[in-house]
Amino acid sequence: MAFGRREEQKEVVSTTQTVIAKDLAIKGDVKCEGVMRVEGLIEGNISGNGEITIAESGKVKGDIQGRKVIVIGHVEGNIIGKESVEVLEHAVVIGDITAEKVSIEEGASVEGKVVTKKAQPIITEPPKNEEKK
């Protein structure tokens, strides 16, 4: 780095994929920045910025928060998708689902609230001060 110059920081997007195999059980919270596929059991919360898939054989006892969450297996906990949540045929969700876009296929089971929220607009100018009279 040269003096007086700043290097631009680039956003790094993880391309790694993490798989929790069928024969693996984890007790505790899991954080993943890339793509995650759960085929085994997780007893704890899952958080990440990527896509999180709970496979048909997968089971999660805890809350899930990710950019996109796809459930094919079993989840006992609340799910928050920053972009979307998909609950596919034969999936079971016992908990609330919150996302901008929610898709629940026929044959899926959901016990809980489903809340769809639009992304909040970005305010580009500060609020104007109003004078009191």
Side-chain angles (χ1 to χ4, degrees):
M1 182 167 133
F3 290 105
R5 272 199 258 168
R6 282 184 146 173
E7 291 183 21
E8 283 187 40
Q9 292 184 354
K10 296 181 181 177
E11 183 178 336
V12 178
V13 178
S14 178
T15 57
T16 59
Q17 182 170 359
T18 301
V19 177
I20 307 300
K22 264 184 174 180
D23 60 347
L24 186 60
I26 296 175
K27 270 191 174 184
D29 294 344
V30 177
K31 183 173 182 180
C32 182
E33 293 302 318
V35 175
M36 175 183 245
R37 182 173 176 87
V38 178
E39 297 176 355
L41 169 67
I42 295 181
E43 291 183 3
N45 300 323
I46 301 173
S47 63
N49 293 322
E51 181 178 299
I52 299 169
T53 301
I54 310 306
E56 192 171 0
S57 61
K59 186 169 187 176
V60 175
K61 292 182 178 181
D63 296 338
I64 301 172
Q65 183 170 347
R67 181 181 53 77
K68 179 178 182 179
V69 180
I70 301 168
V71 181
I72 309 166
H74 190 101
V75 175
E76 293 178 27
N78 299 324
I79 301 172
I80 297 174
K82 293 175 186 149
E83 289 179 10
S84 65
V85 173
E86 297 177 30
V87 183
L88 303 184
E89 184 180 21
H90 306 300
V92 175
V93 175
I94 301 170
D96 298 341
I97 298 172
T98 305
E100 187 174 337
K101 298 176 189 171
V102 176
S103 166
I104 302 172
E105 285 189 358
E106 186 176 343
S109 173
V110 176
E111 281 184 47
K113 278 190 313 189
V114 176
V115 179
T116 56
K117 293 184 176 183
K118 289 210 176 243
Q120 296 297 319
I122 298 171
I123 299 172
T124 55
E125 58 184 61
K128 295 179 184 175
N129 292 333
E130 292 185 23
E131 292 182 27
K132 292 184 180 179
K133 294 183 183 180

